[in-house]
Amino acid sequence: MTAAKQPGRVSKPQYYLNIAKEVARRSTCLRRHYGAVIVSNDQIVSTGYAGAPRKTANCTEIGTCVRIKLGVPKGEHYEWCRAVHAEQNAIIHASRFEMMGATLYLVGVSPDTGAVIKGAEPCRICKRMIINSGIEQVFIETAPGRYQVQQVADWTRHNLGELKKVKGRLVPLMPRGY
């Protein structure tokens, strides 16, 4: 029996994305506020937000961000960032057993405007961690009330877009900025 849609009731994906958006409000990153929620069998397993490692100074306390200061484009030089990403924090706070077959919900919000970040998606390192965690799909809010779904199996099938075939061999692609 399928439940009838109730007026004013949000869908399950939007419910979890709304929670991820609230989690993002804890972010201490000056550049982007991200929140992640891992759900398995309709149960929240873990949450995470972007912030400095425990017991270390965060960018909000310091009052500056090296990547902003240097004008580093999105997707480059994450090694200069003090923050542990929201996806990473959510993954390290859950067991792999809990994440097998789970779904990750991710929302990025501008700290300046509070608007949902269009084109938000996990970075390459987070994608690798998501693959190894056993998570099967990722819902990403693209605008208020709108989202896209990424299948983790597609990332593995396409080698995360990091390789291409040249004369029958797989060759690494260099990331932007190198």
Side-chain angles (χ1 to χ4, degrees):
M1 184 171 167
T2 306
K5 183 162 170 49
Q6 296 174 355
R9 188 170 190 207
V10 299
S11 67
K12 284 284 178 137
Q14 193 59 57
Y15 168 72
Y16 292 122
L17 288 166
N18 289 348
I19 294 170
K21 192 182 300 180
E22 189 64 26
V23 171
R25 292 174 47 143
R26 291 279 308 150
S27 292
T28 58
C29 175
L30 297 174
R31 193 171 164 130
R32 303 275 191 270
H33 290 179
Y34 274 86
V37 175
I38 299 173
V39 176
S40 182
N41 296 317
D42 209 18
Q43 179 70 42
I44 295 175
V45 170
S46 183
T47 65
Y49 57 85
R54 292 181 193 276
K55 299 180 182 176
T56 66
N58 62 57
C59 293
T60 303
E61 293 169 331
I62 296 168
T64 189
C65 167
V66 172
R67 293 180 72 228
I68 291 173
K69 217 179 224 184
L70 297 176
V72 176
K74 176 186 175 217
E76 295 180 19
H77 295 294
Y78 284 118
E79 70 274 16
W80 296 345
C81 180
R82 294 197 54 77
V84 176
H85 291 184
E87 306 94 300
Q88 294 168 342
N89 272 318
I91 288 169
I92 64 175
H93 292 109
S95 73
R96 187 165 192 277
F97 178 79
E98 292 173 303
M99 292 184 286
M100 295 299 296
T103 301
L104 186 142
Y105 296 85
L106 181 67
V107 177
V109 179
S110 166
D112 299 326
T113 66
V116 171
I117 298 169
K118 293 177 176 73
E121 69 173 270
C123 73
R124 287 181 174 191
I125 294 168
C126 286
K127 283 183 177 181
R128 291 178 189 135
M129 290 181 70
I130 290 166
I131 290 167
N132 276 3
S133 73
I135 292 169
E136 288 187 358
Q137 59 184 352
V138 178
F139 281 68
I140 303 168
E141 186 157 348
T142 56
R146 301 182 59 103
Y147 56 85
Q148 66 173 348
V149 182
Q150 295 184 5
Q151 300 301 321
V152 175
D154 291 340
W155 300 348
T156 58
R157 192 172 12 268
H158 301 293
N159 288 296
L160 294 167
E162 296 174 346
L163 305 171
K164 68 177 179 178
K165 273 199 172 178
V166 177
K167 297 180 184 176
R169 290 181 31 165
L170 288 173
V171 176
L173 295 174
M174 292 302 289
R176 291 185 324 255
Y178 289 92

